[in-house]
Amino acid sequence: MPRVIVDLSGPFLYSSRVRATAVLFVACAAMLSGVAAPASEIVTFPSGSLMLHGVLFKPQGTGPFPAVVYNHGSAAGMLSQEAFDALGPVFVRQHWILFGPYRRGQGLSAEAGGYIGDEIDAAKKQGGAAAGAAKMVQLLETDHLDDQLAALEWLRKQPFVDQRRIAVAGNSFGGIETILGAEREGYCAAIDSAGGAESWALAPALQDRMKRAVQHAKAPIFFFQAENDWNLSPSQVLSAVMKAAGKPFEVKIYPPFGRSRQEGHSFGYFGSAVWEDDVFRFLNRHCVAP
Protein backbone atom coordinates (compact mmCIF):
# COMPACT_ATOMS: atom_id res chain seq x y z
CA MET A 1 0.00 0.00 0.00
CA PRO A 2 1.48 3.43 -0.87
CA ARG A 3 2.57 5.61 2.01
CA VAL A 4 1.05 9.04 2.41
CA ILE A 5 2.17 11.70 4.86
CA VAL A 6 -0.16 14.56 5.65
CA ASP A 7 1.45 17.45 7.51
CA LEU A 8 3.66 16.22 10.39
CA SER A 9 2.28 13.00 11.75
CA GLY A 10 0.42 9.85 10.99
CA PRO A 11 -0.38 7.91 7.83
CA PHE A 12 -3.31 9.15 5.78
CA LEU A 13 -5.07 7.39 2.94
CA TYR A 14 -8.02 8.70 1.00
CA SER A 15 -10.74 6.31 2.06
CA SER A 16 -12.14 4.15 -0.72
CA ARG A 17 -15.67 5.00 0.41
CA VAL A 18 -15.04 8.74 0.13
CA ARG A 19 -13.32 8.33 -3.23
CA ALA A 20 -16.19 6.24 -4.57
CA THR A 21 -18.73 8.82 -3.42
CA ALA A 22 -16.83 11.62 -5.12
CA VAL A 23 -16.49 9.66 -8.36
CA LEU A 24 -20.21 8.83 -8.32
CA PHE A 25 -21.11 12.47 -7.75
CA VAL A 26 -18.95 13.64 -10.67
CA ALA A 27 -20.38 10.96 -12.95
CA CYS A 28 -23.98 11.80 -12.03
CA ALA A 29 -23.39 15.51 -12.54
CA ALA A 30 -21.92 14.82 -15.96
CA MET A 31 -24.89 12.65 -16.95
CA LEU A 32 -27.39 15.25 -15.78
CA SER A 33 -25.63 17.98 -17.74
CA GLY A 34 -25.34 15.80 -20.83
CA VAL A 35 -21.59 16.45 -20.96
CA ALA A 36 -18.93 13.79 -20.61
CA ALA A 37 -16.50 14.24 -17.73
CA PRO A 38 -13.45 16.04 -19.16
CA ALA A 39 -10.15 14.28 -19.64
CA SER A 40 -7.02 15.86 -18.25
CA GLU A 41 -3.99 16.84 -20.30
CA ILE A 42 -0.45 16.40 -18.98
CA VAL A 43 1.71 19.49 -19.40
CA THR A 44 5.35 20.29 -18.67
CA PHE A 45 6.65 23.54 -17.22
CA PRO A 46 10.02 24.81 -15.92
CA SER A 47 10.76 25.71 -12.30
CA GLY A 48 14.26 27.13 -12.26
CA SER A 49 16.50 24.38 -13.60
CA LEU A 50 13.86 21.69 -13.05
CA MET A 51 11.22 20.42 -15.45
CA LEU A 52 7.97 19.69 -13.67
CA HIS A 53 4.67 18.24 -14.83
CA GLY A 54 1.02 18.88 -14.08
CA VAL A 55 -2.50 18.06 -15.16
CA LEU A 56 -4.82 20.50 -16.91
CA PHE A 57 -8.60 20.33 -17.04
CA LYS A 58 -10.08 22.80 -19.52
CA PRO A 59 -13.61 23.60 -20.68
CA GLN A 60 -14.41 23.09 -24.34
CA GLY A 61 -13.73 26.07 -26.57
CA THR A 62 -10.94 28.57 -27.02
CA GLY A 63 -11.61 30.77 -24.02
CA PRO A 64 -10.13 32.74 -22.49
CA PHE A 65 -11.34 31.10 -19.28
CA PRO A 66 -10.73 31.92 -15.63
CA ALA A 67 -8.29 29.48 -14.07
CA VAL A 68 -7.17 28.15 -10.72
CA VAL A 69 -3.74 26.87 -9.71
CA TYR A 70 -4.68 23.98 -7.43
CA ASN A 71 -1.99 23.00 -4.92
CA HIS A 72 -2.01 19.34 -3.91
CA GLY A 73 -1.23 18.09 -0.43
CA SER A 74 1.60 15.89 0.79
CA ALA A 75 0.45 12.59 -0.72
CA ALA A 76 3.26 10.39 -1.98
CA GLY A 77 3.25 8.76 -5.38
CA MET A 78 0.26 9.43 -7.63
CA LEU A 79 -2.46 9.64 -4.96
CA SER A 80 -2.96 13.37 -5.62
CA GLN A 81 -4.23 12.41 -9.07
CA GLU A 82 -7.35 11.02 -7.40
CA ALA A 83 -8.00 14.46 -5.93
CA PHE A 84 -7.39 16.20 -9.26
CA ASP A 85 -9.69 13.74 -11.04
CA ALA A 86 -12.44 14.55 -8.53
CA LEU A 87 -11.90 18.32 -8.70
CA GLY A 88 -11.22 18.85 -12.41
CA PRO A 89 -14.76 18.14 -13.65
CA VAL A 90 -16.21 20.38 -10.92
CA PHE A 91 -14.21 23.37 -12.12
CA VAL A 92 -14.81 22.62 -15.79
CA ARG A 93 -18.58 22.53 -15.44
CA GLN A 94 -18.32 25.94 -13.78
CA HIS A 95 -16.38 27.11 -16.87
CA TRP A 96 -13.08 27.31 -15.00
CA ILE A 97 -9.74 25.77 -15.88
CA LEU A 98 -8.08 23.68 -13.18
CA PHE A 99 -4.30 23.38 -13.37
CA GLY A 100 -2.85 20.85 -10.93
CA PRO A 101 0.95 21.24 -10.93
CA TYR A 102 2.97 18.50 -9.27
CA ARG A 103 5.66 20.04 -7.12
CA ARG A 104 9.13 18.52 -7.01
CA GLY A 105 9.32 15.04 -5.49
CA GLN A 106 5.64 14.16 -5.93
CA GLY A 107 3.39 12.59 -8.54
CA LEU A 108 4.43 13.26 -12.12
CA SER A 109 7.34 15.37 -10.81
CA ALA A 110 8.68 12.66 -8.49
CA GLU A 111 12.02 12.51 -10.29
CA ALA A 112 12.61 16.26 -9.95
CA GLY A 113 13.61 16.18 -6.27
CA GLY A 114 13.25 14.55 -2.89
CA TYR A 115 9.82 13.77 -1.46
CA ILE A 116 8.87 16.39 1.13
CA GLY A 117 7.55 13.76 3.55
CA ASP A 118 10.92 11.97 3.55
CA GLU A 119 12.76 15.24 4.15
CA ILE A 120 10.50 16.12 7.07
CA ASP A 121 10.91 12.61 8.51
CA ALA A 122 14.70 12.88 8.26
CA ALA A 123 14.67 16.20 10.09
CA LYS A 124 12.39 14.78 12.81
CA LYS A 125 14.68 11.81 13.37
CA GLN A 126 17.67 14.08 13.69
CA GLY A 127 16.21 16.92 15.77
CA GLY A 128 12.71 16.01 16.92
CA ALA A 129 9.32 17.48 16.13
CA ALA A 130 10.54 21.09 16.17
CA ALA A 131 13.16 20.29 13.54
CA GLY A 132 10.54 18.53 11.43
CA ALA A 133 8.26 21.55 11.64
CA ALA A 134 11.11 23.89 10.72
CA LYS A 135 11.97 21.75 7.70
CA MET A 136 8.31 21.70 6.62
CA VAL A 137 8.04 25.50 6.75
CA GLN A 138 11.39 25.92 5.01
CA LEU A 139 10.45 23.68 2.09
CA LEU A 140 6.93 25.03 1.67
CA GLU A 141 8.04 28.67 1.60
CA THR A 142 11.05 28.09 -0.69
CA ASP A 143 11.27 25.17 -3.13
CA HIS A 144 7.58 24.31 -3.12
CA LEU A 145 6.47 27.95 -3.35
CA ASP A 146 8.89 28.37 -6.25
CA ASP A 147 7.17 25.46 -7.99
CA GLN A 148 3.71 26.95 -7.42
CA LEU A 149 4.78 30.32 -8.81
CA ALA A 150 6.43 28.62 -11.79
CA ALA A 151 3.10 26.92 -12.51
CA LEU A 152 1.38 30.30 -12.28
CA GLU A 153 3.87 31.79 -14.73
CA TRP A 154 3.23 28.97 -17.18
CA LEU A 155 -0.53 29.43 -16.86
CA ARG A 156 -0.29 33.16 -17.49
CA LYS A 157 1.33 32.51 -20.85
CA GLN A 158 -1.47 30.31 -22.18
CA PRO A 159 -3.79 31.97 -24.72
CA PHE A 160 -6.87 30.15 -23.40
CA VAL A 161 -6.45 31.68 -19.90
CA ASP A 162 -7.97 34.99 -18.80
CA GLN A 163 -4.88 36.59 -17.25
CA ARG A 164 -7.00 38.84 -15.01
CA ARG A 165 -8.92 35.93 -13.49
CA ILE A 166 -6.39 33.48 -12.06
CA ALA A 167 -7.10 32.17 -8.55
CA VAL A 168 -5.23 29.80 -6.26
CA ALA A 169 -6.57 26.94 -4.14
CA GLY A 170 -5.37 23.92 -2.21
CA ASN A 171 -6.00 21.39 0.54
CA SER A 172 -3.77 20.46 3.51
CA PHE A 173 -0.14 21.21 2.53
CA GLY A 174 -1.73 22.70 -0.58
CA GLY A 175 -3.77 25.03 1.64
CA ILE A 176 -0.54 26.25 3.22
CA GLU A 177 0.88 26.80 -0.26
CA THR A 178 -2.27 28.70 -1.19
CA ILE A 179 -1.75 31.13 1.71
CA LEU A 180 1.92 31.62 0.81
CA GLY A 181 1.04 32.16 -2.84
CA ALA A 182 -1.64 34.74 -1.98
CA GLU A 183 1.00 36.69 -0.05
CA ARG A 184 3.43 36.72 -2.96
CA GLU A 185 1.30 37.06 -6.10
CA GLY A 186 -1.71 38.98 -7.31
CA TYR A 187 -4.20 36.16 -7.60
CA CYS A 188 -7.80 37.33 -7.90
CA ALA A 189 -8.88 35.04 -5.02
CA ALA A 190 -7.63 32.19 -2.83
CA ILE A 191 -9.39 29.09 -1.48
CA ASP A 192 -7.73 27.49 1.55
CA SER A 193 -9.16 24.13 2.55
CA ALA A 194 -7.68 22.67 5.74
CA GLY A 195 -4.28 24.28 5.27
CA GLY A 196 -2.08 23.18 8.18
CA ALA A 197 -4.91 21.43 10.02
CA GLU A 198 -2.92 18.41 11.14
CA SER A 199 0.31 20.29 11.87
CA TRP A 200 -1.10 23.35 13.60
CA ALA A 201 -0.80 22.32 17.25
CA LEU A 202 2.62 20.74 16.67
CA ALA A 203 4.20 23.58 14.72
CA PRO A 204 4.17 27.10 16.24
CA ALA A 205 6.56 28.15 13.46
CA LEU A 206 3.93 27.24 10.89
CA GLN A 207 1.28 29.20 12.79
CA ASP A 208 3.50 32.29 12.80
CA ARG A 209 4.35 31.96 9.11
CA MET A 210 0.73 31.55 8.04
CA LYS A 211 -0.41 34.47 10.22
CA ARG A 212 2.25 36.67 8.65
CA ALA A 213 1.20 35.56 5.18
CA VAL A 214 -2.49 36.36 5.61
CA GLN A 215 -1.66 39.74 7.16
CA HIS A 216 -0.01 40.63 3.85
CA ALA A 217 -2.30 38.71 1.52
CA LYS A 218 -2.83 40.32 -1.88
CA ALA A 219 -6.06 38.38 -2.52
CA PRO A 220 -9.29 37.71 -0.62
CA ILE A 221 -9.24 34.27 1.00
CA PHE A 222 -12.05 31.78 1.63
CA PHE A 223 -11.15 29.42 4.50
CA PHE A 224 -13.20 26.26 4.84
CA GLN A 225 -13.03 22.93 6.63
CA ALA A 226 -15.27 20.07 7.68
CA GLU A 227 -16.16 20.03 11.37
CA ASN A 228 -14.39 16.68 11.84
CA ASP A 229 -11.06 17.82 10.39
CA TRP A 230 -7.97 17.41 12.58
CA ASN A 231 -8.01 20.98 13.92
CA LEU A 232 -10.26 23.92 13.10
CA SER A 233 -7.85 26.51 14.51
CA PRO A 234 -6.23 27.36 11.15
CA SER A 235 -9.48 28.65 9.66
CA GLN A 236 -10.58 30.31 12.89
CA VAL A 237 -7.26 31.96 13.74
CA LEU A 238 -6.25 33.03 10.24
CA SER A 239 -9.63 34.52 9.42
CA ALA A 240 -9.43 36.51 12.68
CA VAL A 241 -5.98 37.79 11.69
CA MET A 242 -7.33 38.90 8.32
CA LYS A 243 -10.26 40.63 10.00
CA ALA A 244 -7.90 42.53 12.29
CA ALA A 245 -5.77 43.52 9.29
CA GLY A 246 -8.79 44.76 7.36
CA LYS A 247 -8.34 42.14 4.63
CA PRO A 248 -11.29 40.61 2.72
CA PHE A 249 -12.07 37.02 3.69
CA GLU A 250 -14.80 34.49 4.36
CA VAL A 251 -14.73 31.45 6.62
CA LYS A 252 -17.07 28.49 6.86
CA ILE A 253 -17.03 25.31 8.91
CA TYR A 254 -19.18 22.63 7.30
CA PRO A 255 -20.83 19.64 8.99
CA PRO A 256 -18.71 16.50 9.44
CA PHE A 257 -17.62 14.77 6.26
CA GLY A 258 -17.21 11.01 6.40
CA ARG A 259 -16.69 9.08 9.61
CA SER A 260 -13.20 10.03 10.70
CA ARG A 261 -10.81 12.94 11.02
CA GLN A 262 -8.92 11.58 8.04
CA GLU A 263 -12.03 11.72 5.89
CA GLY A 264 -12.88 15.15 7.27
CA HIS A 265 -9.43 16.31 6.18
CA SER A 266 -10.15 15.17 2.60
CA PHE A 267 -13.33 17.28 2.41
CA GLY A 268 -11.69 19.86 0.18
CA TYR A 269 -10.93 17.16 -2.37
CA PHE A 270 -14.01 14.97 -2.27
CA GLY A 271 -16.77 17.10 -0.74
CA SER A 272 -17.62 19.31 -3.71
CA ALA A 273 -21.28 18.29 -3.55
CA VAL A 274 -21.37 20.36 -0.35
CA TRP A 275 -18.97 23.26 -0.96
CA GLU A 276 -19.25 23.87 -4.72
CA ASP A 277 -21.84 26.66 -4.62
CA ASP A 278 -20.02 28.56 -1.88
CA VAL A 279 -16.60 28.28 -3.49
CA PHE A 280 -17.73 29.44 -6.93
CA ARG A 281 -19.83 32.23 -5.49
CA PHE A 282 -16.66 33.48 -3.79
CA LEU A 283 -14.52 33.03 -6.90
CA ASN A 284 -16.99 34.70 -9.23
CA ARG A 285 -17.48 37.61 -6.83
CA HIS A 286 -13.79 38.40 -6.60
CA CYS A 287 -12.61 37.25 -10.03
CA VAL A 288 -14.96 39.47 -11.99
CA ALA A 289 -15.14 39.24 -15.76
CA PRO A 290 -14.41 42.59 -17.44
Side-chain angles (χ1 to χ4, degrees):
M1 179 176 290
R3 181 168 59 90
V4 181
I5 295 177
V6 171
D7 294 345
L8 283 180
S9 62
F12 176 81
L13 294 174
Y14 306 145
S15 99
S16 58
R17 179 168 56 81
V18 168
R19 293 198 311 266
T21 301
V23 169
L24 180 61
F25 172 74
V26 169
C28 288
M31 284 195 312
L32 289 172
S33 66
V35 178
S40 61
E41 173 188 353
I42 296 175
V43 302
T44 300
F45 63 98
S47 179
S49 62
L50 303 177
M51 295 304 296
L52 305 180
H53 309 283
V55 291
L56 186 75
F57 291 83
K58 186 169 74 70
Q60 291 184 347
T62 58
F65 301 104
V68 64
V69 176
Y70 198 96
N71 294 295
H72 60 70
S74 60
M78 288 299 296
L79 280 174
S80 290
Q81 189 63 44
E82 297 177 2
F84 290 146
D85 287 342
L87 291 166
V90 178
F91 279 80
V92 168
R93 71 166 168 263
Q94 294 282 350
H95 306 289
W96 277 71
I97 290 167
L98 182 139
F99 181 34
Y102 281 99
R103 302 188 298 276
R104 65 190 69 190
Q106 291 177 257
L108 296 174
S109 301
E111 300 303 315
Y115 170 48
I116 187 171
D118 290 339
E119 297 187 52
I120 292 170
D121 276 353
K124 284 171 62 180
K125 289 176 182 177
Q126 188 170 29
K135 174 59 71 173
M136 174 185 64
V137 172
Q138 175 204 337
L139 292 172
L140 289 174
E141 69 176 350
T142 56
D143 292 351
H144 284 245
L145 181 57
D146 289 346
D147 293 347
Q148 177 197 159
L149 300 184
L152 172 62
E153 184 63 23
W154 180 88
L155 199 58
R156 282 174 169 163
K157 295 177 180 177
Q158 306 312 307
F160 48 80
V161 173
D162 185 338
Q163 314 297 323
R164 297 157 295 185
R165 302 176 69 199
I166 301 179
V168 64
N171 189 77
S172 192
F173 267 29
I176 300 171
E177 274 300 313
T178 293
I179 295 299
L180 297 174
E183 178 190 31
R184 281 281 297 274
E185 285 291 335
Y187 290 106
C188 60
I191 308 294
D192 170 18
S193 171
E198 192 172 358
S199 305
W200 190 262
L202 302 172
L206 176 65
Q207 297 179 31
D208 292 342
R209 183 65 187 92
M210 293 183 76
K211 290 176 187 176
R212 189 164 73 251
V214 299
Q215 282 178 323
H216 299 98
K218 298 178 181 178
I221 302 176
F222 179 33
F223 304 94
F224 77 89
Q225 293 180 256
E227 188 179 347
N228 59 329
D229 199 350
W230 294 105
N231 190 332
L232 300 180
S233 294
S235 291
Q236 296 166 339
V237 171
L238 296 176
S239 60
V241 170
M242 290 196 78
K243 182 177 181 179
K247 299 283 186 178
F249 73 94
E250 287 187 27
V251 60
K252 186 164 184 177
I253 306 301
Y254 291 88
F257 180 73
R259 300 173 182 171
S260 67
R261 291 188 183 276
Q262 292 177 345
E263 291 181 359
H265 195 62
S266 72
F267 176 62
Y269 292 143
F270 303 118
S272 63
V274 179
W275 54 250
E276 181 177 353
D277 288 347
D278 292 331
V279 164
F280 286 96
R281 174 183 49 78
F282 186 87
L283 288 174
N284 291 325
R285 177 191 304 160
H286 294 287
C287 302
V288 180

